């Protein structure tokens, strides 16, 4: 069930599936399955050696294009009309879509992270985000 606020990954997926999002932007997100985030928090609390340490709980990078393509591959046959057209930064700047307006500063960026510590010290094995999506 989707919530009403729309300022989240859930809101983006809803907008893409509903056809409300007019295409894909050149953005790459750092992502994590909520089950991995919960496991990471639990492991950090249970392991004395983790006391006072910081961990990046992000398991995957996913471009908006890959997100939209994954949704299309799995849900287009169920009647969802997912727009895979690329939206340029110039087109985005002209858009009135509130979600696109919030994403303009991220266009052309790629979220980079190093989750090696969470894997080695907390024993996390991140779920592939494409499995989370479907």
């Amino acid at each position: 069930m989707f919530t009403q606020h729309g300022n989240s990954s859930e809101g983006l997926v809803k907008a893409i599936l509903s056809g409300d999002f007019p295409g894909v932007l050149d953005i790459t997100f750092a992502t994590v399955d909520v089950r991995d985030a919960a496991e990471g928090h639990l492991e950090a609390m249970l392991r004395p050696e983790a006391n006072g340490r910081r961990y990046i709980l992000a398991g995957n990078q996913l471009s908006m294009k890959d997100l939209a393509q994954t949704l299309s591959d799995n849900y287009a046959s169920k009647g969802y009309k997912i727009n895979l057209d690329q939206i340029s930064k110039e087109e985005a700047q002209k858009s009135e879509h509130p979600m696109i307006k919030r994403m303009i500063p991220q266009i052309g960026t790629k979220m980079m992270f190093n989750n090696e510590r969470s894997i080695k010290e907390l024993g996390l094995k991140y779920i592939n985000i494409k499995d989370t999506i479907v």
Side-chain angles (χ1 to χ4, degrees):
M1 180 59 81
F2 292 110
T3 60
Q4 298 297 316
H5 56 79
N7 288 331
S8 63
S9 54
E10 170 192 329
L12 178 59
V13 169
K14 180 182 179 183
I16 292 170
L17 283 173
S18 69
D20 181 46
F21 210 83
V24 296
L25 299 169
D26 179 21
I27 296 174
T28 300
F29 307 100
T31 61
V32 66
D33 186 292
V34 68
R35 294 168 289 187
D36 291 330
E39 181 181 357
H41 283 91
L42 181 63
E43 290 296 329
M45 288 186 299
L46 295 176
R47 295 173 185 243
E49 65 274 17
N51 187 27
R53 299 200 31 101
R54 294 178 182 258
Y55 296 91
I56 294 175
L57 300 179
N60 304 267
Q61 293 178 346
L62 184 71
S63 70
M64 185 180 287
K65 181 176 182 160
D66 286 342
L67 169 63
Q69 188 65 60
T70 299
L71 291 170
S72 181
D73 291 348
N74 289 277
Y75 297 105
S77 64
K78 295 174 174 68
Y80 292 95
K81 305 276 191 250
I82 295 144
N83 190 337
L84 299 172
D85 295 336
Q86 185 77 33
I87 300 171
S88 69
K89 187 168 188 170
E90 294 75 26
E91 292 170 312
Q93 290 169 330
K94 294 175 187 174
S95 175
E96 295 299 317
H97 194 285
M99 199 174 287
I100 289 178
K101 285 184 171 201
R102 287 191 301 274
M103 293 181 174
I104 289 172
Q106 298 172 14
I107 295 174
T109 65
K110 185 175 185 177
M111 300 289 276
M112 302 296 291
F113 59 87
N114 183 339
N115 63 4
E116 196 172 304
R117 184 185 293 172
S118 65
I119 293 169
K120 285 183 178 177
E121 295 181 16
L122 301 179
L124 295 183
K125 296 176 183 161
Y126 289 99
I127 298 167
N128 185 310
I129 201 65
K130 291 182 180 181
D131 294 333
T132 300
I133 293 168
V134 297

